[in-house]
Amino acid sequence: MSDGQALHSSPYVEQIEKYANSLKQLSQTFLGLEEKRQAFSDEEIEGMFSRVRGKVCGKCEKCGWCWGENFVHTYQMGYEILSAVDHYGNELNTETKRKLMQRCIMAPRFLREMLEGFHDARQNMIWVNRMARSREGCAIQMDTFADMIQSTARELENSIFTDERLEKKIGTALRKKGIRMLYTHFFMTREGRYEIHVTVRTMKNQKVSTREFVKAVSEAAGRRLILQSGTAQVIGNHYMTVVCQEGPAYYTMQGAARIGKGCSQISGDNFAMLELPGGRQGAALSDGMGSGEEACRESTLVIELLEELLEAGFPEKTAIQMINTTLVMGREEIHYSTVDMTVFDLYTGECEIIKAGASSTFIKKKDQVEHLSSTSLPIGVMNSIEIDSVKRKLSDGDFVIMVTDGVLDALPVGEQDLLLETIIQGSTITNPKEMAHHVLEQVLAWTGREPADDMTVLAVGIWEC
């Protein structure tokens, strides 16, 4: 195979495709099972009538007539009761009760058994629909996961290439450092950036720092490479794989300021800075429903799941959708949380702002402030949600400022975004932590009272390396 030629038709990728197709088939099977129901089946209605006939009418001297030659009127009365209870509840309406008293000498017992049969059938329908929703949630999860692994497999296959000349240059450079190279794998991202995986160990029981190692690989490749985050600091006499990536052009720094409702020490807001694959960083902010400990638990769960999925390589929107399905399934009550995330590409300076029910985000440039709003629902409400996203190009010294609802809601309705823009634009602060505290302090000073909701400000600045 010639230098630079990509590998194709890998048996491993083909196997992953088979797994993905199986997941999609299983997803369709789940969706094809019993669907959610809005009305009783004929069998269920007939069961209600059989219940009344067996428990009430069987002991009545008029049973043969009511369920024989007069069965049409008996069924009509039963349907009227079912319609009335569906509309009015157990109390029914006066007209329906009057008709029943006129037609049935055992009206109270007839009504009681009809109501019990109705409620039993309705409880069964609730359970059927709950199971259908759970299956639908599982199907969405499986379908989403299948799409992700298919996309990842194809991207991985397209990114692998060989370069025998470069491999020899790296091997020679490392030998001079006392390092023995076993394997080398080359990858190229869609943007044309190199990623080199080298399996190495030292010779003669010596130790070499990974900093020296990456310097040697960079010189051989003619590219400015850096170590993948989390890499060990020293190479020893046991084989280990070291990942070298092209260094980014930007770096970020962040700061946060927050206060609980009524100055409480417990806040329902949570946030995290995430190291993502491909030279990206994420800032995630979640506002749990309400305030206090329960809201804190919800938003903590969301942030922890986001960290787990995103750092494993799941796409941002896929991760949010999967967390949403997880929160919806198997819960009696709705517990929602917002998701506000900004993903920074440290190679290009571009950022993507992703929102699910979140408050406005503000971008501060040298001479202007832009605010970006969302109309999407929080996660945890419905099985499938719309996720808003928009991309912006950032420059050296720009800030992205994310806030929870409590910050904006503290300002006068109709002027919230404009006032916060004014506060941000009027500041010359270049330290992210100071910026976050400045914004929160100005909002609190404007209100002049204790916070009516949890309030969090997360500021992230970006600079050229």
Side-chain angles (χ1 to χ4, degrees):
M1 186 176 290
S2 61
D3 290 356
Q5 183 178 352
L7 299 176
H8 293 289
S9 303
S10 162
Y12 302 107
V13 173
E14 289 178 4
Q15 184 61 53
I16 290 173
E17 290 274 3
K18 290 178 182 177
Y19 289 147
N21 289 333
S22 297
L23 280 174
K24 282 188 166 291
Q25 185 62 45
L26 190 57
S27 168
Q28 291 304 310
T29 302
F30 266 53
L31 290 175
L33 296 174
E34 190 173 3
E35 297 180 352
K36 288 183 284 188
R37 292 160 47 194
Q38 303 297 326
F40 295 127
S41 66
D42 292 341
E43 291 79 8
E44 286 173 319
I45 294 175
E46 183 58 39
M48 295 181 211
F49 284 112
S50 296
R51 173 178 180 147
V52 173
R53 186 165 60 242
K55 291 190 174 184
V56 180
C57 303
K59 301 174 184 178
C60 178
E61 60 187 23
K62 291 190 175 183
C63 178
W65 182 78
C66 289
W67 295 99
E69 58 189 278
N70 197 44
F71 80 95
V72 173
H73 293 92
T74 303
Y75 269 80
Q76 182 183 7
M77 189 68 247
Y79 277 112
E80 285 184 22
I81 292 172
L82 292 178
S83 177
V85 72
D86 192 40
H87 188 74
Y88 295 102
N90 284 357
E91 296 303 316
L92 304 188
N93 59 336
T94 305
E95 181 62 21
T96 303
K97 288 181 179 179
R98 187 185 63 80
K99 285 184 180 180
L100 180 61
M101 295 294 291
Q102 288 177 342
R103 295 182 185 181
C104 180
I105 60 175
M106 302 184 73
R109 288 192 61 197
F110 186 100
L111 178 59
R112 183 174 68 249
E113 289 299 331
M114 203 72 188
L115 289 174
E116 288 183 7
F118 173 88
H119 289 301
D120 287 349
R122 188 169 65 178
Q123 189 64 36
N124 181 63
M125 184 189 295
I126 289 170
W127 279 107
V128 167
N129 287 346
R130 184 174 297 159
M131 291 180 67
R133 283 195 299 271
S134 294
R135 282 196 300 269
E136 182 182 354
C138 287
I140 291 171
Q141 295 277 43
M142 285 187 289
D143 205 53
T144 301
F145 187 61
D147 286 338
M148 190 208 71
I149 62 175
Q150 277 183 327
S151 173
T152 302
R154 291 167 187 162
E155 187 174 326
L156 178 61
E157 183 177 38
N158 292 333
S159 70
I160 300 172
F161 70 96
T162 60
D163 191 331
E164 293 179 4
R165 180 173 170 274
L166 178 55
E167 188 173 357
K168 289 177 181 177
K169 284 184 67 176
I170 292 173
T172 301
L174 292 179
R175 276 195 299 274
K176 292 178 180 178
K177 298 284 186 181
I179 299 172
R180 184 189 301 278
M181 183 176 75
L182 182 62
Y183 300 120
T184 305
H185 297 287
F186 298 101
F187 301 87
M188 183 180 291
T189 67
R190 282 175 294 182
E191 297 78 18
R193 296 193 293 268
Y194 270 39
E195 187 173 298
I196 303 175
H197 296 222
V198 193
T199 302
V200 292
R201 70 173 177 84
T202 58
M203 296 182 280
K204 300 177 181 178
N205 292 325
Q206 62 188 98
K207 295 187 183 298
V208 178
S209 72
T210 47
R211 182 177 296 181
E212 285 185 66
F213 165 86
V214 76
K215 183 179 179 182
V217 176
S218 297
E219 290 173 355
R223 294 170 179 264
R224 188 174 72 88
L225 302 174
I226 62 170
L227 294 170
Q228 185 181 58
S229 61
T231 302
Q233 294 184 352
V234 176
I235 299 171
N237 60 354
H238 294 288
Y239 279 110
M240 60 184 286
T241 299
V242 184
V243 179
C244 305
Q245 303 166 323
E246 289 202 55
Y250 296 87
Y251 70 95
T252 64
M253 293 181 66
Q254 64 284 332
R258 62 177 177 170
I259 189 170
K261 178 180 179 181
C263 297
S264 169
Q265 295 297 311
I266 299 174
S267 172
D269 303 338
N270 270 287
F271 63 90
M273 291 298 297
L274 313 168
E275 292 290 334
L276 307 180
R280 298 175 306 139
Q281 284 186 340
L285 179 60
S286 179
D287 180 358
M289 181 178 73
S291 59
E293 290 186 10
E294 188 172 352
C296 183
R297 281 195 299 270
E298 287 295 313
S299 60
T300 300
L301 175 63
V302 169
I303 291 296
E304 288 178 348
L305 287 172
L306 266 179
E307 286 184 288
E308 183 70 29
L309 293 173
L310 296 180
E311 290 176 1
F314 281 75
E316 292 78 23
K317 292 180 184 177
T318 300
I320 293 172
Q321 181 62 69
M322 293 180 77
I323 295 171
N324 173 70
T325 307
T326 301
L327 295 182
V328 170
M329 286 172 57
R331 282 188 162 188
E332 295 287 340
E333 300 176 358
I334 292 176
H335 295 273
Y336 64 79
S337 294
T338 66
V339 175
D340 197 358
M341 185 160 54
T342 303
V343 178
F344 300 88
D345 188 323
L346 301 182
Y347 290 94
T348 65
E350 187 176 64
C351 75
E352 183 175 14
I353 295 166
I354 302 166
K355 291 181 176 292
S359 188
S360 296
T361 293
F362 298 81
I363 298 178
K364 183 182 188 298
K365 293 182 174 289
K366 290 179 176 59
D367 55 351
Q368 62 182 2
V369 175
E370 177 186 13
H371 84 265
L372 302 165
S373 302
S374 168
T375 56
S376 58
L377 288 173
I379 63 172
V381 180
M382 301 173 65
N383 262 340
S384 183
I385 58 170
E386 293 292 327
I387 300 171
D388 293 333
S389 69
V390 63
K391 292 184 178 181
R392 290 290 186 270
K393 180 71 171 70
L394 302 177
S395 302
D396 183 68
D398 288 350
F399 274 86
V400 174
I401 298 165
M402 303 157 65
V403 300
T404 53
D405 285 340
V407 176
L408 285 175
D409 290 346
L411 299 172
V413 176
E415 302 176 39
Q416 297 160 321
D417 288 328
L418 181 60
L419 284 171
L420 207 50
E421 278 185 35
T422 304
I423 291 171
I424 294 169
Q425 190 163 12
S427 171
T428 58
I429 296 171
T430 57
N431 180 291
K433 186 174 182 179
E434 292 177 7
M435 171 68 81
H437 280 275
H438 169 75
V439 171
L440 183 59
E441 288 164 4
Q442 289 295 306
V443 172
L444 290 171
W446 182 278
T447 63
R449 58 180 183 272
E450 287 189 343
D453 193 6
D454 301 322
M455 301 168 71
T456 300
V457 180
L458 181 59
V460 184
I462 187 168
W463 290 272
E464 293 178 0
C465 292

mmCIF file of all heavy atoms in Angstrom, residues 30-61:
data_model
loop_
_atom_site.group_PDB
_atom_site.id
_atom_site.type_symbol
_atom_site.label_atom_id
_atom_site.label_comp_id
_atom_site.label_asym_id
_atom_site.label_seq_id
_atom_site.Cartn_x
_atom_site.Cartn_y
_atom_site.Cartn_z
ATOM 1 N N PHE A 30 -39.133 -2.611 18.854
ATOM 2 C CA PHE A 30 -39.696 -1.970 20.040
ATOM 3 C C PHE A 30 -40.844 -1.045 19.656
ATOM 4 O O PHE A 30 -41.890 -1.028 20.301
ATOM 5 C CB PHE A 30 -38.605 -1.178 20.767
ATOM 6 C CG PHE A 30 -37.938 -1.955 21.869
ATOM 7 C CD1 PHE A 30 -37.397 -3.195 21.611
ATOM 8 C CD2 PHE A 30 -37.849 -1.454 23.146
ATOM 9 C CE1 PHE A 30 -36.772 -3.926 22.606
ATOM 10 C CE2 PHE A 30 -37.239 -2.166 24.164
ATOM 11 C CZ PHE A 30 -36.704 -3.411 23.891
ATOM 12 N N LEU A 31 -40.634 -0.249 18.592
ATOM 13 C CA LEU A 31 -41.663 0.697 18.179
ATOM 14 C C LEU A 31 -42.889 -0.007 17.605
ATOM 15 O O LEU A 31 -43.992 0.534 17.620
ATOM 16 C CB LEU A 31 -41.091 1.667 17.136
ATOM 17 C CG LEU A 31 -40.060 2.678 17.656
ATOM 18 C CD1 LEU A 31 -39.486 3.484 16.509
ATOM 19 C CD2 LEU A 31 -40.687 3.610 18.689
ATOM 20 N N GLY A 32 -42.696 -1.230 17.091
ATOM 21 C CA GLY A 32 -43.800 -1.956 16.473
ATOM 22 C C GLY A 32 -44.655 -2.724 17.455
ATOM 23 O O GLY A 32 -45.687 -3.281 17.086
ATOM 24 N N LEU A 33 -44.235 -2.790 18.722
ATOM 25 C CA LEU A 33 -45.038 -3.470 19.737
ATOM 26 C C LEU A 33 -46.259 -2.618 20.082
ATOM 27 O O LEU A 33 -46.497 -1.579 19.486
ATOM 28 C CB LEU A 33 -44.187 -3.748 20.968
ATOM 29 C CG LEU A 33 -43.015 -4.723 20.739
ATOM 30 C CD1 LEU A 33 -42.154 -4.814 21.992
ATOM 31 C CD2 LEU A 33 -43.517 -6.101 20.342
ATOM 32 N N GLU A 34 -47.010 -3.042 21.082
ATOM 33 C CA GLU A 34 -48.272 -2.371 21.428
ATOM 34 C C GLU A 34 -48.089 -0.869 21.582
ATOM 35 O O GLU A 34 -47.197 -0.406 22.289
ATOM 36 C CB GLU A 34 -48.813 -2.960 22.731
ATOM 37 C CG GLU A 34 -50.235 -2.495 23.044
ATOM 38 C CD GLU A 34 -50.788 -3.228 24.253
ATOM 39 O OE1 GLU A 34 -50.050 -4.028 24.849
ATOM 40 O OE2 GLU A 34 -51.953 -2.992 24.592
ATOM 41 N N GLU A 35 -48.926 -0.105 20.876
ATOM 42 C CA GLU A 35 -48.808 1.345 20.866
ATOM 43 C C GLU A 35 -49.583 1.973 22.024
ATOM 44 O O GLU A 35 -50.403 1.331 22.673
ATOM 45 C CB GLU A 35 -49.332 1.905 19.536
ATOM 46 C CG GLU A 35 -48.536 1.434 18.333
ATOM 47 C CD GLU A 35 -49.094 2.014 17.046
ATOM 48 O OE1 GLU A 35 -50.173 2.650 17.095
ATOM 49 O OE2 GLU A 35 -48.457 1.823 15.998
ATOM 50 N N LYS A 36 -49.299 3.255 22.242
ATOM 51 C CA LYS A 36 -50.061 4.008 23.251
ATOM 52 C C LYS A 36 -51.525 4.084 22.831
ATOM 53 O O LYS A 36 -51.834 4.194 21.652
ATOM 54 C CB LYS A 36 -49.475 5.413 23.408
ATOM 55 C CG LYS A 36 -48.142 5.435 24.125
ATOM 56 C CD LYS A 36 -47.616 6.827 24.324
ATOM 57 C CE LYS A 36 -47.047 7.381 23.049
ATOM 58 N NZ LYS A 36 -46.355 8.661 23.245
ATOM 59 N N ARG A 37 -52.425 4.030 23.810
ATOM 60 C CA ARG A 37 -53.863 4.001 23.515
ATOM 61 C C ARG A 37 -54.550 5.224 24.102
ATOM 62 O O ARG A 37 -54.190 5.695 25.178
ATOM 63 C CB ARG A 37 -54.478 2.722 24.080
ATOM 64 C CG ARG A 37 -53.998 1.458 23.368
ATOM 65 C CD ARG A 37 -54.229 0.222 24.215
ATOM 66 N NE ARG A 37 -55.585 0.212 24.761
ATOM 67 C CZ ARG A 37 -55.970 -0.594 25.739
ATOM 68 N NH1 ARG A 37 -55.123 -1.422 26.286
ATOM 69 N NH2 ARG A 37 -57.206 -0.547 26.186
ATOM 70 N N GLN A 38 -55.547 5.695 23.370
ATOM 71 C CA GLN A 38 -56.336 6.843 23.821
ATOM 72 C C GLN A 38 -57.752 6.446 24.221
ATOM 73 O O GLN A 38 -58.468 7.224 24.845
ATOM 74 C CB GLN A 38 -56.417 7.897 22.697
ATOM 75 C CG GLN A 38 -55.068 8.385 22.217
ATOM 76 C CD GLN A 38 -54.293 9.101 23.296
ATOM 77 O OE1 GLN A 38 -54.888 9.776 24.136
ATOM 78 N NE2 GLN A 38 -52.979 8.957 23.284
ATOM 79 N N ALA A 39 -58.193 5.225 23.838
ATOM 80 C CA ALA A 39 -59.577 4.803 24.104
ATOM 81 C C ALA A 39 -59.596 3.334 24.499
ATOM 82 O O ALA A 39 -58.657 2.583 24.214
ATOM 83 C CB ALA A 39 -60.447 5.033 22.858
ATOM 84 N N PHE A 40 -60.684 2.921 25.157
ATOM 85 C CA PHE A 40 -60.845 1.522 25.543
ATOM 86 C C PHE A 40 -61.136 0.672 24.318
ATOM 87 O O PHE A 40 -61.800 1.103 23.373
ATOM 88 C CB PHE A 40 -61.995 1.375 26.541
ATOM 89 C CG PHE A 40 -61.755 2.061 27.860
ATOM 90 C CD1 PHE A 40 -62.685 2.949 28.372
ATOM 91 C CD2 PHE A 40 -60.608 1.804 28.587
ATOM 92 C CE1 PHE A 40 -62.470 3.574 29.586
ATOM 93 C CE2 PHE A 40 -60.389 2.426 29.805
ATOM 94 C CZ PHE A 40 -61.316 3.316 30.300
ATOM 95 N N SER A 41 -60.666 -0.570 24.357
ATOM 96 C CA SER A 41 -60.970 -1.510 23.281
ATOM 97 C C SER A 41 -62.382 -2.061 23.467
ATOM 98 O O SER A 41 -62.979 -1.961 24.552
ATOM 99 C CB SER A 41 -59.961 -2.661 23.285
ATOM 100 O OG SER A 41 -60.103 -3.441 24.473
ATOM 101 N N ASP A 42 -62.919 -2.663 22.409
ATOM 102 C CA ASP A 42 -64.254 -3.279 22.496
ATOM 103 C C ASP A 42 -64.267 -4.368 23.565
ATOM 104 O O ASP A 42 -65.259 -4.534 24.290
ATOM 105 C CB ASP A 42 -64.646 -3.877 21.139
ATOM 106 C CG ASP A 42 -64.887 -2.801 20.086
ATOM 107 O OD1 ASP A 42 -65.110 -1.634 20.471
ATOM 108 O OD2 ASP A 42 -64.835 -3.128 18.892
ATOM 109 N N GLU A 43 -63.147 -5.114 23.672
ATOM 110 C CA GLU A 43 -63.069 -6.195 24.668
ATOM 111 C C GLU A 43 -63.128 -5.629 26.086
ATOM 112 O O GLU A 43 -63.768 -6.216 26.975
ATOM 113 C CB GLU A 43 -61.774 -6.992 24.481
ATOM 114 C CG GLU A 43 -61.710 -7.834 23.218
ATOM 115 C CD GLU A 43 -61.375 -7.020 21.981
ATOM 116 O OE1 GLU A 43 -61.033 -5.806 22.128
ATOM 117 O OE2 GLU A 43 -61.462 -7.560 20.865
ATOM 118 N N GLU A 44 -62.467 -4.487 26.318
ATOM 119 C CA GLU A 44 -62.480 -3.889 27.653
ATOM 120 C C GLU A 44 -63.871 -3.383 28.015
ATOM 121 O O GLU A 44 -64.331 -3.549 29.153
ATOM 122 C CB GLU A 44 -61.467 -2.748 27.720
ATOM 123 C CG GLU A 44 -60.022 -3.221 27.769
ATOM 124 C CD GLU A 44 -59.023 -2.083 27.667
ATOM 125 O OE1 GLU A 44 -59.259 -1.160 26.856
ATOM 126 O OE2 GLU A 44 -58.008 -2.123 28.380
ATOM 127 N N ILE A 45 -64.562 -2.778 27.053
ATOM 128 C CA ILE A 45 -65.924 -2.289 27.321
ATOM 129 C C ILE A 45 -66.860 -3.457 27.582
ATOM 130 O O ILE A 45 -67.683 -3.431 28.514
ATOM 131 C CB ILE A 45 -66.426 -1.433 26.135
ATOM 132 C CG1 ILE A 45 -65.586 -0.152 26.044
ATOM 133 C CG2 ILE A 45 -67.904 -1.102 26.298
ATOM 134 C CD1 ILE A 45 -65.898 0.708 24.845
ATOM 135 N N GLU A 46 -66.707 -4.506 26.782
ATOM 136 C CA GLU A 46 -67.538 -5.692 26.992
ATOM 137 C C GLU A 46 -67.260 -6.300 28.362
ATOM 138 O O GLU A 46 -68.170 -6.805 29.041
ATOM 139 C CB GLU A 46 -67.265 -6.721 25.893
ATOM 140 C CG GLU A 46 -68.113 -7.972 25.967
ATOM 141 C CD GLU A 46 -69.609 -7.674 25.916
ATOM 142 O OE1 GLU A 46 -70.006 -6.764 25.131
ATOM 143 O OE2 GLU A 46 -70.371 -8.314 26.656
ATOM 144 N N GLY A 47 -65.995 -6.227 28.811
ATOM 145 C CA GLY A 47 -65.639 -6.734 30.129
ATOM 146 C C GLY A 47 -66.333 -5.967 31.239
ATOM 147 O O GLY A 47 -66.712 -6.552 32.264
ATOM 148 N N MET A 48 -66.490 -4.640 31.051
ATOM 149 C CA MET A 48 -67.195 -3.839 32.059
ATOM 150 C C MET A 48 -68.660 -4.262 32.159
ATOM 151 O O MET A 48 -69.212 -4.403 33.265
ATOM 152 C CB MET A 48 -67.110 -2.353 31.693
ATOM 153 C CG MET A 48 -65.717 -1.773 31.722
ATOM 154 S SD MET A 48 -65.745 -0.007 31.290
ATOM 155 C CE MET A 48 -64.152 0.172 30.498
ATOM 156 N N PHE A 49 -69.286 -4.488 30.996
ATOM 157 C CA PHE A 49 -70.689 -4.904 31.004
ATOM 158 C C PHE A 49 -70.848 -6.296 31.619
ATOM 159 O O PHE A 49 -71.788 -6.558 32.377
ATOM 160 C CB PHE A 49 -71.261 -4.880 29.585
ATOM 161 C CG PHE A 49 -71.580 -3.506 29.071
ATOM 162 C CD1 PHE A 49 -70.857 -2.951 28.035
ATOM 163 C CD2 PHE A 49 -72.600 -2.763 29.634
ATOM 164 C CE1 PHE A 49 -71.143 -1.680 27.563
ATOM 165 C CE2 PHE A 49 -72.899 -1.487 29.168
ATOM 166 C CZ PHE A 49 -72.169 -0.938 28.131
ATOM 167 N N SER A 50 -69.905 -7.204 31.301
ATOM 168 C CA SER A 50 -69.970 -8.561 31.858
ATOM 169 C C SER A 50 -69.832 -8.523 33.372
ATOM 170 O O SER A 50 -70.465 -9.301 34.089
ATOM 171 C CB SER A 50 -68.856 -9.420 31.253
ATOM 172 O OG SER A 50 -69.047 -9.575 29.860
ATOM 173 N N ARG A 51 -68.987 -7.631 33.857
ATOM 174 C CA ARG A 51 -68.782 -7.485 35.300
ATOM 175 C C ARG A 51 -70.090 -7.082 35.977
ATOM 176 O O ARG A 51 -70.472 -7.650 37.010
ATOM 177 C CB ARG A 51 -67.701 -6.448 35.551
ATOM 178 C CG ARG A 51 -67.505 -6.086 37.012
ATOM 179 C CD ARG A 51 -66.385 -5.091 37.167
ATOM 180 N NE ARG A 51 -66.169 -4.721 38.558
ATOM 181 C CZ ARG A 51 -64.996 -4.418 39.070
ATOM 182 N NH1 ARG A 51 -63.917 -4.450 38.316
ATOM 183 N NH2 ARG A 51 -64.884 -4.079 40.339
ATOM 184 N N VAL A 52 -70.768 -6.082 35.405
ATOM 185 C CA VAL A 52 -72.036 -5.613 35.994
ATOM 186 C C VAL A 52 -73.091 -6.707 35.912
ATOM 187 O O VAL A 52 -73.826 -6.960 36.885
ATOM 188 C CB VAL A 52 -72.511 -4.337 35.256
ATOM 189 C CG1 VAL A 52 -73.904 -3.955 35.732
ATOM 190 C CG2 VAL A 52 -71.534 -3.204 35.500
ATOM 191 N N ARG A 53 -73.161 -7.368 34.758
ATOM 192 C CA ARG A 53 -74.175 -8.418 34.574
ATOM 193 C C ARG A 53 -73.964 -9.549 35.572
ATOM 194 O O ARG A 53 -74.921 -10.082 36.147
ATOM 195 C CB ARG A 53 -74.107 -8.945 33.140
ATOM 196 C CG ARG A 53 -75.210 -9.943 32.817
ATOM 197 C CD ARG A 53 -75.358 -10.180 31.318
ATOM 198 N NE ARG A 53 -74.119 -10.707 30.737
ATOM 199 C CZ ARG A 53 -73.413 -10.072 29.807
ATOM 200 N NH1 ARG A 53 -73.824 -8.898 29.361
ATOM 201 N NH2 ARG A 53 -72.303 -10.601 29.328
ATOM 202 N N GLY A 54 -72.669 -9.901 35.826
ATOM 203 C CA GLY A 54 -72.383 -11.009 36.731
ATOM 204 C C GLY A 54 -72.555 -10.650 38.187
ATOM 205 O O GLY A 54 -73.056 -11.461 38.980
ATOM 206 N N LYS A 55 -72.126 -9.440 38.600
ATOM 207 C CA LYS A 55 -72.124 -9.078 40.015
ATOM 208 C C LYS A 55 -73.416 -8.419 40.487
ATOM 209 O O LYS A 55 -73.714 -8.425 41.682
ATOM 210 C CB LYS A 55 -70.952 -8.145 40.312
ATOM 211 C CG LYS A 55 -69.591 -8.826 40.211
ATOM 212 C CD LYS A 55 -68.492 -7.923 40.762
ATOM 213 C CE LYS A 55 -67.171 -8.644 40.813
ATOM 214 N NZ LYS A 55 -66.105 -7.827 41.435
ATOM 215 N N VAL A 56 -74.147 -7.801 39.564
ATOM 216 C CA VAL A 56 -75.343 -7.043 39.962
ATOM 217 C C VAL A 56 -76.618 -7.661 39.382
ATOM 218 O O VAL A 56 -77.531 -8.068 40.106
ATOM 219 C CB VAL A 56 -75.228 -5.566 39.533
ATOM 220 C CG1 VAL A 56 -76.481 -4.793 39.949
ATOM 221 C CG2 VAL A 56 -73.984 -4.932 40.137
ATOM 222 N N CYS A 57 -76.645 -7.753 38.056
ATOM 223 C CA CYS A 57 -77.890 -8.111 37.375
ATOM 224 C C CYS A 57 -78.263 -9.586 37.539
ATOM 225 O O CYS A 57 -79.440 -9.947 37.438
ATOM 226 C CB CYS A 57 -77.800 -7.778 35.894
ATOM 227 S SG CYS A 57 -77.432 -6.035 35.590
ATOM 228 N N GLY A 58 -77.294 -10.448 37.795
ATOM 229 C CA GLY A 58 -77.578 -11.877 37.901
ATOM 230 C C GLY A 58 -78.540 -12.199 39.030
ATOM 231 O O GLY A 58 -79.233 -13.219 38.989
ATOM 232 N N LYS A 59 -78.578 -11.342 40.034
ATOM 233 C CA LYS A 59 -79.454 -11.577 41.183
ATOM 234 C C LYS A 59 -80.771 -10.804 41.078
ATOM 235 O O LYS A 59 -81.574 -10.795 42.017
ATOM 236 C CB LYS A 59 -78.729 -11.165 42.462
ATOM 237 C CG LYS A 59 -77.430 -11.923 42.698
ATOM 238 C CD LYS A 59 -76.681 -11.385 43.900
ATOM 239 C CE LYS A 59 -75.337 -12.097 44.065
ATOM 240 N NZ LYS A 59 -74.557 -11.545 45.213
ATOM 241 N N CYS A 60 -80.987 -10.143 39.938
ATOM 242 C CA CYS A 60 -82.183 -9.316 39.761
ATOM 243 C C CYS A 60 -83.222 -10.071 38.936
ATOM 244 O O CYS A 60 -82.890 -10.722 37.941
ATOM 245 C CB CYS A 60 -81.797 -8.011 39.066
ATOM 246 S SG CYS A 60 -83.202 -6.915 38.737
ATOM 247 N N GLU A 61 -84.485 -9.944 39.321
ATOM 248 C CA GLU A 61 -85.565 -10.659 38.628
ATOM 249 C C GLU A 61 -85.776 -10.162 37.205
ATOM 250 O O GLU A 61 -86.339 -10.868 36.376
ATOM 251 C CB GLU A 61 -86.865 -10.499 39.428
ATOM 252 C CG GLU A 61 -87.286 -9.038 39.595
ATOM 253 C CD GLU A 61 -88.473 -8.892 40.538
ATOM 254 O OE1 GLU A 61 -88.697 -9.784 41.383
ATOM 255 O OE2 GLU A 61 -89.172 -7.877 40.406
#
